[in-house]
Amino acid sequence: MDFMNNYHPPSRFVWLIVVPLVLMVGYLGVQSSKGTVWVLSSDKKVASTNLSATVEAELAKDQLPKKDGLDVTRKEPQMNSSKKKLSNLERVEAGLGQVRAAIREAQSKNQTSNDPEYVPEGPCYWNPKAFHRSYLEMEKHFKIYVYEDGEPPVFHYSSSKGILGIEGILIHQIELSKFRTNDPEKAHVYFLPFSVFSIVSYVYVVDSHDWGPMKNTASDYIDSISRKYTYWNRSLGSDHFMLACHDWAPEISTVVPYLFKNSIRVLCNANTSERFNPSKDVTLPEIYLPQGTMKGLIGGPSPSKRSVLVFYAGGIHGYIRQVLMEHWGKKDDSDIEIHEYLPKNVSYYGMIRKTKYCICPSGYEVASPRMVEALYMGCVPVLLKDRYVAPFSDVLNWKNFAVEMTSKDIPNLKKILMSISQKRYIKMQRRGLQVRRHFVVNFPPKRYDVFHMILHSIWLRRLNIQVHDT
């Protein structure tokens, strides 16, 4: 009997039922695996965390999810390779299961890993041994597939100059990275190489106030990717990431619901009030390299040679800076140097190097290069921000090398800083010198620098999910 001659395609009614069911099964397959958060915390009590419930509840209160432990309670899938030939995706997931087990073992047995270059230790890390094991596993296994679709300058390119230049630097470094694979079947994550900075520069019509063309650029690109490849639809974007430092990136990302809700968004504008989700999104530190290199940015005198208590200079952009200037900008106090504009012949970097505490306030948005500049030059950062998620806060314990304040603390700024003992200040300053290696931009990248720390943050979030064939 000729099969093709007797074949009748399913009716339209059948398709209307079957297709939505298949898509729903795929969605639940991804979502059911997103119930735990890997946080490299110092707390030895480990508990499973429900992402959707916890994150939504915490964000609703404008609070961050509690760093209450490295979640290693995931029950890994048991697969017998002798009875079943594993698919490429199953091999990837099985490998990640082994990674989780290695991190769990490093934590539970308090293992020390050999590393001739650097071994994380001390209270500036939530759990240095778990972080070290995770980092080493990343170096051995992590693979990133970069979609080749799209042409510069909007895709695969962004400017590497100015205070948003870290976006272009990291896009370029990812494209050339040893972590990049040309085989999408072996990848752990998939990079969407559109540049928000370039979209704003080349697509946006100045003063038009029209978001449409910019959002359409991102939406059309992902639509094209989803039609050409299977990987976006397979995970509903959960193992894909974008990277952007421009303030408009969060808004542009909303145009694709799964990009906004599921994908890993690496953003400078890490503001929970704008729905930045620290359980899946990654904070990108804003870094300004005036000469395009690290030249002249690293180093400063010892604590005993810092005569100024607190320093800030910058434009009055946004509510926090306005309140800061109103309270402290005109104070006749030798301990406090807070200015909108520095006096002539006074060096901005010179002031940072002679100051104990450097204020790093939000502007119109929460990101600012001042935080990294303070760490570079040995000044203890004062993070004066509301609802900001500090970079690498799943690894670094910021309270041990920085002062965290909100806008409500501004009237008591000096009192708060004066209450910190000299002994405590010296410890914070030394720890800041220790962790600044994680914020250095190297050409080419070096181990444990900002490039590798961003990849490690993405790596951790990939460990949070399991992707299934649908």
Side-chain angles (χ1 to χ4, degrees):
M1 182 180 293
D2 187 343
F3 173 76
M4 292 305 296
N5 290 335
N6 289 274
Y7 171 72
H8 299 284
S11 68
R12 182 180 180 185
F13 175 75
V14 173
W15 282 117
L16 289 174
I17 295 177
V18 173
V19 172
L21 285 176
V22 171
L23 291 176
M24 179 59 71
V25 169
Y27 176 79
L28 293 176
V30 174
Q31 296 301 315
S32 63
S33 66
K34 296 177 66 178
T36 52
V37 184
W38 284 66
V39 179
L40 303 186
S41 164
S42 59
D43 189 345
K44 293 184 179 179
K45 292 184 179 180
V46 178
S48 180
T49 305
N50 184 291
L51 270 190
S52 58
T54 301
V55 171
E56 289 301 322
E58 295 293 349
L59 290 181
K61 296 185 293 183
D62 288 328
Q63 296 174 352
L64 301 183
K66 184 180 179 182
K67 307 289 189 298
D68 60 354
L70 170 60
D71 188 349
V72 291
T73 60
R74 179 189 302 280
K75 188 174 182 180
E76 304 299 343
Q78 301 296 315
M79 293 179 287
N80 189 337
S81 60
S82 63
K83 295 182 180 180
K84 174 187 175 183
K85 184 178 179 180
L86 301 183
S87 68
N88 289 327
L89 178 58
E90 287 173 331
R91 289 191 180 91
V92 169
E93 291 297 334
L96 292 177
Q98 294 174 348
V99 167
R100 297 184 192 103
I103 300 173
R104 177 168 57 242
E105 185 176 16
Q107 182 176 13
S108 63
K109 294 185 178 181
N110 201 27
Q111 292 179 338
T112 301
S113 301
N114 293 324
D115 193 329
E117 186 168 339
Y118 180 68
V119 176
E121 59 182 2
C124 50
Y125 299 99
W126 289 109
N127 190 313
K129 290 181 173 29
F131 164 52
H132 197 205
R133 171 50 55 190
S134 175
Y135 183 91
L136 294 178
E137 293 292 330
M138 177 194 74
E139 287 188 318
K140 287 191 294 184
H141 302 294
F142 197 29
K143 289 182 173 60
I144 301 170
Y145 182 76
V146 180
Y147 289 111
E148 296 183 0
D149 305 66
E151 297 293 333
V154 172
F155 305 94
H156 304 282
Y157 170 82
S158 183
S159 174
S160 59
K161 299 179 180 180
I163 63 172
L164 305 181
I166 190 65
E167 176 178 318
I169 291 170
L170 291 184
I171 289 175
H172 178 71
Q173 291 183 340
I174 288 172
E175 298 258 1
L176 300 178
S177 170
K178 66 179 182 180
F179 295 95
R180 181 175 181 177
T181 178
N182 292 323
D183 186 352
E185 293 292 330
K186 295 180 179 179
H188 297 100
V189 295
Y190 301 82
F191 180 40
L192 301 162
F194 63 86
S195 163
V196 173
F197 181 86
S198 292
I199 288 176
V200 174
S201 299
Y202 295 97
V203 177
Y204 178 64
V205 178
V206 178
D207 295 328
S208 69
H209 307 291
D210 185 2
W211 290 84
M214 295 186 293
K215 289 186 174 182
N216 289 341
T217 300
S219 177
D220 291 347
Y221 184 75
I222 294 176
D223 181 65
S224 174
I225 290 296
S226 68
R227 292 174 183 274
K228 184 175 180 180
Y229 305 92
T230 63
Y231 311 107
W232 174 271
N233 295 324
R234 180 179 69 182
S235 70
L236 298 179
S238 296
D239 53 358
H240 287 58
F241 74 97
M242 61 171 285
L243 184 150
C245 200
H246 198 281
D247 291 345
W248 292 357
E251 177 63 26
I252 289 176
S253 73
T254 64
V255 69
V256 182
Y258 288 136
L259 175 67
F260 180 73
K261 181 179 179 181
N262 291 349
S263 298
I264 302 166
R265 300 179 303 156
V266 184
L267 305 174
C268 287
N269 192 8
N271 188 339
T272 59
S273 70
E274 298 181 13
R275 310 307 290 172
F276 180 91
N277 184 342
S279 66
K280 73 168 189 68
D281 296 328
V282 172
T283 303
L284 175 60
E286 194 169 282
I287 300 176
Y288 175 46
L289 306 180
Q291 301 182 51
T293 69
M294 292 295 300
K295 183 179 180 180
L297 295 180
I298 297 292
S302 65
S304 62
K305 296 180 180 179
R306 294 177 179 266
S307 57
V308 177
L309 175 66
V310 59
F311 166 69
Y312 166 76
I316 305 177
H317 304 150
Y319 169 75
I320 287 182
R321 296 188 188 187
Q322 181 179 349
V323 175
L324 178 66
M325 294 301 298
E326 289 175 355
H327 275 86
W328 300 103
K330 297 181 181 180
K331 290 284 186 180
D332 186 14
D333 190 328
S334 60
D335 289 326
I336 298 176
E337 294 280 355
I338 293 180
H339 309 270
E340 181 177 3
Y341 302 105
L342 275 177
K344 290 183 178 180
N345 301 321
V346 175
S347 165
Y348 175 74
Y349 290 158
M351 286 299 302
I352 294 178
R353 288 187 166 98
K354 65 186 295 186
T355 301
K356 292 181 178 180
Y357 299 96
C358 290
I359 299 181
C360 312
S362 296
Y364 292 125
E365 300 292 351
V366 293
S368 167
R370 290 173 175 81
M371 176 181 66
V372 174
E373 291 169 342
L375 290 173
Y376 282 173
M377 300 173 203
C379 188
V380 175
V382 178
L383 306 187
L384 184 52
K385 302 171 185 287
D386 293 334
R387 305 180 183 90
Y388 176 64
V389 181
F392 320 133
S393 53
D394 42 11
V395 168
L396 300 179
N397 185 352
W398 279 82
K399 292 184 182 298
N400 284 327
F401 59 90
V403 180
E404 296 179 317
M405 294 186 183
T406 68
S407 56
K408 296 179 181 179
D409 297 316
I410 291 175
N412 298 315
L413 174 66
K414 183 175 182 180
K415 181 179 179 181
I416 292 172
L417 296 180
M418 292 293 289
S419 69
I420 300 173
S421 68
Q422 180 70 2
K423 182 178 180 180
R424 170 71 176 165
Y425 157 68
I426 291 174
K427 286 183 178 180
M428 295 174 72
Q429 199 264 356
R430 288 175 178 172
R431 291 166 186 164
L433 298 182
Q434 178 186 358
V435 302
R436 75 180 177 193
R437 68 165 51 237
H438 301 316
F439 296 86
V440 170
V441 183
N442 290 304
F443 304 94
K446 297 180 181 179
R447 300 179 71 216
Y448 297 101
D449 66 3
V450 71
F451 170 76
H452 287 88
M453 289 298 290
I454 288 294
L455 292 193
H456 181 259
S457 294
I458 298 170
W459 166 248
L460 282 183
R461 280 141 185 84
R462 180 60 177 91
L463 289 174
N464 282 344
I465 66 170
Q466 290 178 355
V467 179
H468 306 282
D469 282 315
T470 57

